Amino acid sequence: MSNGKLIVALDFDNLHSANQTVSQLRGFVEWFKIGGQLFTAAGPTSVETFRNLGKKVFLDLKFHDIPNTVAGAVAAAAKTGANMINMHASGGLEMMRAACEAADMQADALEIPRPLLLGVTILTSIDERSFQRDFDTKRKLRDQVAYLAELSQQAGLDGVVASPLEIEIVRRVCGERFLIVTPGVRPRWAAAGDQRRIRTPSEAIEAGADYIVIGRPITGADNPRETAENILQEIRDHSDL
Ligand code: C5P
């Protein structure tokens, strides 16, 4: 597998620690994810810092609001130079369409490629039982993921964030070219933590994930670089990709 499929989640409360991890993974990991914690602590500078180092940034702020507000947030996110931006697909078709339009307009204005836009389906920390209980539904979680993926595609998004357990169904519904980004990835030796719908990195890649997101197993390791290397090697050992 190419290293370009691994996205390392920088869930830190300060830019210095994030920077340290990025430099430990220098020349080896291309994509980094900045989420609510780091972005709230360090702001757009966090994205700019890593973009200036030549890294690709997934800005994982999971927007979910009325269409006008999300459109504005997506335009601002595109301006930071982020390469990938996401929003909750449950925000609805209109919200996602407004986001696409805003990203197109901002990309044109700045003369940059439009960032990849992803819909978040159902968080990987939620299992079947809590999904049915919290959403007061008898619907199967995977059917809801497939439904939200189809809605995201209809709105014009480039792909979705889903668990590795739903890759097959999303592929069936949305086809080969629709991007699938999967958190909920855990090597066998790593703690699951709050993740519920998980698979190993090699299982996720073999099932057809375009990108896998891994945070704590790498960032919390004594040697993040060696750990990332081991994960990528394990994937190569188990697949032809
Ligand atoms: O540390 P861990 O590998 O669990 O990190 C996974 C990352 O993926 C976290 O930054 C989390 O915010 C993100 N995530 C996500 N969508 C999900 C589940 C986790 O973007 N459904």
Side-chain angles (χ1 to χ4, degrees):
M1 180 191 94
S2 119
N3 294 10
K5 287 191 167 207
L6 173 64
I7 303 177
V8 174
L10 298 171
D11 291 321
F12 293 105
D13 62 6
N14 66 86
L15 191 51
H16 177 72
S17 303
N19 230 331
Q20 259 181 337
T21 296
V22 171
S23 69
Q24 282 166 327
L25 298 170
R26 193 174 37 221
F28 185 64
V29 174
E30 193 182 331
W31 277 93
F32 292 91
K33 184 173 84 62
I34 294 177
Q37 186 182 18
L38 182 58
F39 194 81
T40 304
T45 307
S46 56
V47 182
E48 287 151 15
T49 301
F50 302 129
R51 290 294 293 127
N52 289 338
L53 291 172
K55 309 300 175 199
K56 289 190 174 155
V57 173
F58 171 14
L59 187 55
D60 175 25
L61 297 180
K62 298 187 179 69
F63 298 130
H64 189 168
D65 211 316
I66 58 172
N68 184 62
T69 302
V70 169
V74 165
K79 206 170 176 185
T80 64
N83 306 87
M84 196 185 265
I85 297 168
N86 62 1
M87 66 209 76
H88 276 285
S90 53
L93 197 58
E94 241 184 85
M95 185 203 79
M96 290 191 280
R97 282 192 172 138
C100 289
E101 225 172 272
D104 282 337
M105 280 173 58
Q106 186 68 291
D108 279 352
L110 299 171
E111 299 181 0
I112 55 168
R114 179 178 113 166
L116 296 169
L117 299 179
L118 304 176
V120 177
T121 55
I122 301 289
L123 298 173
T124 49
S125 51
I126 295 177
D127 62 16
E128 187 82 47
R129 224 166 63 132
S130 49
F131 167 71
Q132 294 190 342
R133 184 196 60 211
D134 297 354
F135 291 80
D136 190 23
T137 181
K138 296 213 165 12
R139 197 167 201 190
K140 288 252 173 267
L141 188 153
R142 61 200 298 272
D143 292 336
Q144 182 68 3
V145 170
Y147 173 75
L148 290 171
E150 209 173 358
L151 198 69
S152 304
Q153 190 173 43
Q154 203 184 330
L157 300 195
D158 301 288
V160 283
V161 181
S163 120
L165 296 171
E166 290 112 31
I167 295 170
E168 287 91 347
I169 191 166
V170 172
R171 280 268 168 263
R172 210 174 314 138
V173 172
C174 298
E176 285 304 312
R177 294 183 58 194
F178 198 58
L179 292 177
I180 304 179
V181 177
T182 62
V185 175
R186 283 288 179 271
R188 283 194 207 290
W189 45 263
D194 53 359
Q195 297 284 11
R196 293 289 173 269
R197 303 195 324 280
I198 55 178
R199 271 182 169 177
T200 66
S202 50
E203 286 167 346
I205 293 294
E206 269 177 62
D210 293 291
Y211 297 93
I212 56 174
V213 177
I214 304 182
R216 290 163 290 182
I218 294 176
T219 55
D222 290 338
N223 187 335
R225 187 185 179 90
E226 198 179 277
T227 307
E229 272 170 6
N230 289 342
I231 289 172
L232 289 166
Q233 190 54 48
E234 187 217 293
I235 294 171
R236 286 191 204 99
D237 291 346
H238 285 86
S239 71
D240 309 325
L241 299 160

